[in-house]
Amino acid sequence: MRRRTCKRLMMPSRSIRYTIGDSIAALGLAFLLFLSFLLLYGGTSAPDVLSGDPAEFQLASVLLGVPHPTTYPLATILGHLATRVLPFGAPAWRVTIVSSVCAALTVALFALLVYRIVGNRWMALIGALALGLAPGLWNAATIAEIYALLALLIVALALTLLHMWEEAPTPALMRMVPAALIAGLGFTHHGLFVVTALPLFAAGIVAALWHECGRTAPRALVIAAGWMGLAFLAGLTPWLYPLAQFARFGPFDGMDYGLPRHYFWGAPRSWWEVVDLLTGGEVRRGIFHMPDAGSIVATLRMVGRRLWFEFGPVGVALGVVGSVTLLRRSVWLWRATAWVFFATLSYLLILGPAVGDAPVFTLPMLLPWALWIAVGAHAIVRLAPSFRAHWRYPVTIALLAALTLGWGATRYRVSAKQHLWLYREFATATLAILPPDAVVVTHWEQGTTLLYLRFVEGIRLDVWIDVVEPGDDPWLERAHRRYPDRSVYFVGQPESVAGMPVDLLVDEPYAKVYRLRVPPKR
């Protein structure tokens, strides 16, 4: 009797019972979705080197370097494996395709998650289409970034936790072992996983322990907890990667990202500085602050616009209906999905003005909303039999699927990047006009592309690329101090060289190339 009471208090509604045929059909749907979205994402992915952070990930993955905090070791290792395993494509594209694979897997696992909650394959399809065609995930799938992997880890953890509640001969706590491994991997990957998904894992542990009350011997619980702890520690092993690279190539001098010896962002001088980078370093600690009323209103408006942009009017309406429906059906499942949504919102609020790329940081929000869309669609479809016309049930499903596909098709122009050669062309043209032994002083956006061409492809090894971070000394002073006997060129916008004695050499909307007119004084 006590065991039943514990389960009633702590457990969400049990997933719908499935036959073997149902499971095979769901797996088949997930497999087809994976292939379809892999073709879509791979076919619309950026074909070559990018700029800014994506170019840095391409550079670091190929060279086995260490990118900016929090160093993202799992993404870097996967990117490097792709450059080794794939026998075709430019190295930069091979790193990008990792994002495409992760995003396609996210859609496939998300369909399984929806199917287990709703119990309807058509609703799983609609939810997966809504998520997969949303520009936030589509954009993350077509560039060399870490956010598609973030979405995959969150969905994989959610699916594993849901599986824990299935009837099985093993104790519930032992079934938490795969979730512990995923939680460890996510913990090393990104702070958004820590904020949105790790509390769900902690809640799962508490629920599993409560589920075991009065039915499992203490010794068995200790053994299960030990396995779970080992699995979590195994998930933390990617952190060994930057430590190993520092042991091989460090210590550095704090300048030029450790180049030309080895790419290691921040060029740490000590082990403590390496550990500091793993936890975010000064870069991450300096961007959080308590929001004021104005920033709260601005962030909420931004989130509203993003949801409308991602899912359209039908998706937004279905999401609202689905959220209310799920709350009425299972308060525990609703709390889990709402936690991911509002935890992401809280993250955005404390970032405030630092949110420079809204689609990136709102990505975890898309997961619960797409689930609510599927639940909302199911609630509407269930009304179809009451229409007293059998044909209205399939027509309603087809209409909802068509509306989801239609809105996704309108997002193609802002998500597809298969023709994005801009950064390669600009960087190649810039390096081509430089004299021997020149120096390029530039910002992060253009600098990482130039670094990729120089250190990965060996283009213009005689040219030095000096990437200036915010807070570094002004460009002209830097040129005088560091390069008194070399030809110096600046790559940026007019405001970057305002008041400097320069000549304009390349005038492109993306960026300008300037030559320092007079040689730097000693």
Side-chain angles (χ1 to χ4, degrees):
M1 179 64 67
R2 185 184 177 190
R3 180 170 66 88
R4 292 184 180 178
T5 303
C6 293
K7 290 169 68 174
R8 283 197 195 100
L9 287 174
M10 295 302 298
M11 289 181 60
S13 298
R14 287 281 186 181
S15 300
I16 298 155
R17 303 288 182 180
Y18 307 107
T19 65
I20 295 178
D22 290 332
S23 299
I24 293 175
L27 290 173
L29 173 63
F31 182 69
L32 288 176
L33 284 169
F34 171 73
L35 291 181
S36 300
F37 277 94
L38 182 59
L39 289 173
L40 174 66
Y41 294 151
T44 57
S45 63
D48 206 340
V49 64
L50 295 162
S51 69
D53 288 357
E56 187 209 20
F57 284 117
Q58 292 169 329
L59 169 72
S61 295
V62 176
L63 300 180
L64 273 179
V66 178
H68 65 276
T70 54
T71 74
Y72 309 103
L74 180 59
T76 305
I77 294 169
L78 292 176
H80 184 75
L81 288 176
T83 65
R84 295 286 188 175
V85 172
L86 292 178
F88 54 88
W93 177 84
R94 298 182 206 179
V95 178
T96 299
I97 208 65
V98 173
S99 295
S100 301
V101 173
C102 289
L105 280 172
T106 300
V107 175
L109 294 183
F110 183 79
L112 292 177
L113 180 67
V114 174
Y115 178 62
R116 296 180 60 79
I117 292 173
V118 178
N120 186 297
R121 290 190 295 274
W122 292 109
M123 300 307 106
L125 175 63
I126 290 175
L129 290 176
L131 176 65
L133 296 176
L137 185 61
W138 196 343
N139 176 71
T142 54
I143 59 177
E145 263 286 8
I146 49 86
Y147 297 100
L149 179 56
L150 169 65
L152 174 60
L153 290 170
I154 294 175
V155 173
L157 180 65
L159 187 60
T160 306
L161 290 175
L162 192 62
H163 174 71
M164 183 189 69
W165 296 111
E166 287 187 334
E167 291 292 344
T170 55
L173 195 62
M174 184 63 77
R175 296 202 300 275
M176 288 286 292
V177 171
L181 176 63
I182 298 170
L185 292 172
F187 190 80
T188 68
H189 183 62
H190 198 277
L192 269 172
F193 182 93
V194 176
V195 172
T196 59
L198 206 60
L200 299 182
F201 172 66
I205 294 176
V206 174
L209 288 172
W210 192 269
H211 176 62
E212 300 296 340
C213 63
R215 61 172 291 181
T216 305
R219 184 174 179 272
L221 288 178
V222 171
I223 293 174
W227 279 109
M228 191 169 59
L230 289 175
F232 186 80
L233 290 176
L236 300 181
T237 53
W239 266 346
L240 297 176
Y241 167 73
L243 299 177
Q245 295 303 82
F246 184 77
R248 291 179 61 193
F249 301 103
F252 301 96
D253 60 1
M255 298 175 60
D256 299 319
Y257 310 109
L259 297 170
R261 187 193 310 175
H262 192 70
Y263 185 83
F264 202 121
W265 192 96
R269 302 178 180 89
S270 65
W271 286 101
W272 167 249
E273 291 185 5
V274 177
V275 174
D276 189 47
L277 292 178
L278 296 180
T279 58
E282 294 183 4
V283 174
R284 291 292 179 263
R285 287 192 297 270
I287 63 176
F288 295 104
H289 65 92
M290 291 303 296
D292 54 26
S295 63
I296 291 175
V297 172
T299 301
L300 292 177
R301 288 177 176 174
M302 180 272 292
V303 169
R305 290 193 298 268
R306 286 308 312 174
L307 289 175
W308 191 274
F309 178 74
E310 299 282 356
F311 299 114
V314 175
V316 170
L318 285 176
V320 173
V321 173
S323 177
V324 174
T325 303
L326 188 61
L327 176 60
R328 296 177 61 184
R329 174 188 165 188
S330 173
V331 66
W332 288 102
L333 287 174
W334 181 86
R335 286 175 180 174
T337 57
W339 172 264
V340 175
F341 185 89
F342 289 106
T344 307
L345 178 60
S346 300
Y347 188 89
L348 294 170
L349 287 172
I350 61 176
L351 280 176
V355 183
D357 193 354
V360 165
F361 292 104
T362 58
L363 180 56
M365 283 182 160
L366 307 187
L367 303 175
W369 200 275
L371 176 60
W372 292 339
I373 287 175
V375 175
H378 189 236
I380 291 176
V381 167
R382 290 177 67 183
L383 297 176
S386 66
F387 296 159
R388 298 181 181 179
H390 296 294
W391 57 267
R392 294 187 180 182
Y393 180 82
V395 167
T396 304
I397 294 177
L399 178 61
L400 291 173
L403 289 173
T404 304
L405 282 170
W407 183 261
T410 65
R411 307 296 93 182
Y412 175 84
R413 61 181 180 82
V414 296
S415 303
K417 301 177 184 64
Q418 67 269 31
H419 304 300
L420 187 57
W421 298 95
L422 168 66
Y423 308 117
R424 153 81 63 178
E425 293 171 350
F426 178 84
T428 302
T430 298
L431 293 174
I433 65 173
L434 300 179
D437 204 36
V439 172
V440 176
V441 178
T442 184
H443 291 298
W444 178 257
E445 282 298 313
Q446 293 79 33
T448 51
T449 310
L450 293 167
L451 287 174
Y452 177 90
L453 294 185
R454 185 189 188 279
F455 287 97
V456 173
E457 301 186 0
I459 299 175
R460 295 303 305 268
L461 294 177
D462 60 308
V463 172
W464 183 250
I465 313 298
D466 189 350
V467 180
V468 181
E469 296 275 5
D472 289 343
D473 46 353
W475 284 12
L476 188 58
E477 294 180 15
R478 194 178 185 91
H480 281 285
R481 178 173 56 84
R482 299 188 67 176
Y483 315 109
D485 299 318
R486 301 178 70 172
S487 301
V488 177
Y489 292 75
F490 300 129
V491 177
Q493 296 297 334
E495 56 269 20
S496 303
V497 296
M500 300 182 191
V502 296
D503 295 318
L504 178 63
L505 300 183
V506 176
D507 186 5
E508 295 289 344
Y510 171 60
K512 325 292 182 186
V513 180
Y514 302 90
R515 177 178 56 207
L516 189 59
R517 188 178 304 144
V518 295
K521 298 180 180 180
R522 294 182 179 274

mmCIF file of all heavy atoms in Angstrom, residues 36 48 59 88 103 173 177-178 272 485:
data_model
loop_
_atom_site.group_PDB
_atom_site.id
_atom_site.type_symbol
_atom_site.label_atom_id
_atom_site.label_comp_id
_atom_site.label_asym_id
_atom_site.label_seq_id
_atom_site.Cartn_x
_atom_site.Cartn_y
_atom_site.Cartn_z
ATOM 1 N N SER A 36 15.289 12.629 -43.169
ATOM 2 C CA SER A 36 14.729 13.781 -43.890
ATOM 3 C C SER A 36 15.383 15.079 -43.434
ATOM 4 O O SER A 36 15.788 15.918 -44.258
ATOM 5 C CB SER A 36 13.218 13.843 -43.677
ATOM 6 O OG SER A 36 12.591 12.676 -44.158
ATOM 7 N N ASP A 48 31.361 26.278 -46.278
ATOM 8 C CA ASP A 48 32.787 26.547 -46.075
ATOM 9 C C ASP A 48 32.988 27.289 -44.758
ATOM 10 O O ASP A 48 32.085 27.337 -43.908
ATOM 11 C CB ASP A 48 33.320 27.366 -47.249
ATOM 12 C CG ASP A 48 34.814 27.155 -47.475
ATOM 13 O OD1 ASP A 48 35.509 26.706 -46.544
ATOM 14 O OD2 ASP A 48 35.289 27.447 -48.585
ATOM 15 N N LEU A 59 38.128 26.254 -36.706
ATOM 16 C CA LEU A 59 39.571 26.317 -36.504
ATOM 17 C C LEU A 59 40.014 25.383 -35.383
ATOM 18 O O LEU A 59 40.931 24.558 -35.545
ATOM 19 C CB LEU A 59 39.983 27.761 -36.190
ATOM 20 C CG LEU A 59 41.408 28.001 -35.701
ATOM 21 C CD1 LEU A 59 42.394 27.802 -36.834
ATOM 22 C CD2 LEU A 59 41.535 29.406 -35.115
ATOM 23 N N PHE A 88 35.030 13.467 -47.492
ATOM 24 C CA PHE A 88 34.719 14.469 -48.512
ATOM 25 C C PHE A 88 34.358 15.782 -47.833
ATOM 26 O O PHE A 88 34.057 15.821 -46.639
ATOM 27 C CB PHE A 88 33.563 14.003 -49.409
ATOM 28 C CG PHE A 88 32.332 13.601 -48.628
ATOM 29 C CD1 PHE A 88 31.368 14.541 -48.279
ATOM 30 C CD2 PHE A 88 32.144 12.289 -48.231
ATOM 31 C CE1 PHE A 88 30.242 14.183 -47.550
ATOM 32 C CE2 PHE A 88 31.016 11.913 -47.512
ATOM 33 C CZ PHE A 88 30.067 12.862 -47.172
ATOM 34 N N ALA A 103 21.234 18.192 -34.844
ATOM 35 C CA ALA A 103 19.890 18.752 -34.970
ATOM 36 C C ALA A 103 18.913 17.714 -35.515
ATOM 37 O O ALA A 103 17.756 17.620 -35.059
ATOM 38 C CB ALA A 103 19.906 19.985 -35.863
ATOM 39 N N LEU A 173 15.954 3.652 -9.908
ATOM 40 C CA LEU A 173 17.210 4.370 -9.737
ATOM 41 C C LEU A 173 18.279 3.831 -10.672
ATOM 42 O O LEU A 173 19.079 4.593 -11.209
ATOM 43 C CB LEU A 173 17.672 4.281 -8.285
ATOM 44 C CG LEU A 173 18.776 5.266 -7.873
ATOM 45 C CD1 LEU A 173 18.279 6.700 -8.016
ATOM 46 C CD2 LEU A 173 19.226 5.001 -6.444
ATOM 47 N N VAL A 177 20.844 5.577 -14.753
ATOM 48 C CA VAL A 177 22.261 5.585 -15.136
ATOM 49 C C VAL A 177 22.488 6.252 -16.496
ATOM 50 O O VAL A 177 23.367 7.104 -16.629
ATOM 51 C CB VAL A 177 22.834 4.157 -15.098
ATOM 52 C CG1 VAL A 177 24.234 4.114 -15.708
ATOM 53 C CG2 VAL A 177 22.883 3.651 -13.652
ATOM 54 N N PRO A 178 21.725 5.899 -17.550
ATOM 55 C CA PRO A 178 21.916 6.624 -18.822
ATOM 56 C C PRO A 178 21.665 8.124 -18.687
ATOM 57 O O PRO A 178 22.364 8.931 -19.304
ATOM 58 C CB PRO A 178 20.900 5.971 -19.762
ATOM 59 C CG PRO A 178 20.632 4.628 -19.167
ATOM 60 C CD PRO A 178 20.724 4.821 -17.699
ATOM 61 N N TRP A 272 45.448 27.131 -13.005
ATOM 62 C CA TRP A 272 44.290 27.811 -12.445
ATOM 63 C C TRP A 272 43.538 28.582 -13.531
ATOM 64 O O TRP A 272 42.304 28.598 -13.546
ATOM 65 C CB TRP A 272 44.709 28.758 -11.326
ATOM 66 C CG TRP A 272 43.607 29.699 -10.928
ATOM 67 C CD1 TRP A 272 43.555 31.049 -11.123
ATOM 68 C CD2 TRP A 272 42.360 29.346 -10.301
ATOM 69 N NE1 TRP A 272 42.373 31.573 -10.661
ATOM 70 C CE2 TRP A 272 41.615 30.541 -10.152
ATOM 71 C CE3 TRP A 272 41.810 28.146 -9.867
ATOM 72 C CZ2 TRP A 272 40.356 30.551 -9.565
ATOM 73 C CZ3 TRP A 272 40.554 28.175 -9.291
ATOM 74 C CH2 TRP A 272 39.845 29.366 -9.141
ATOM 75 N N ASP A 485 58.058 47.801 -37.376
ATOM 76 C CA ASP A 485 58.823 47.655 -38.618
ATOM 77 C C ASP A 485 58.080 46.848 -39.682
ATOM 78 O O ASP A 485 58.702 46.344 -40.609
ATOM 79 C CB ASP A 485 60.162 46.962 -38.321
ATOM 80 C CG ASP A 485 61.019 47.757 -37.349
ATOM 81 O OD1 ASP A 485 61.077 48.989 -37.505
ATOM 82 O OD2 ASP A 485 61.598 47.136 -36.433
#
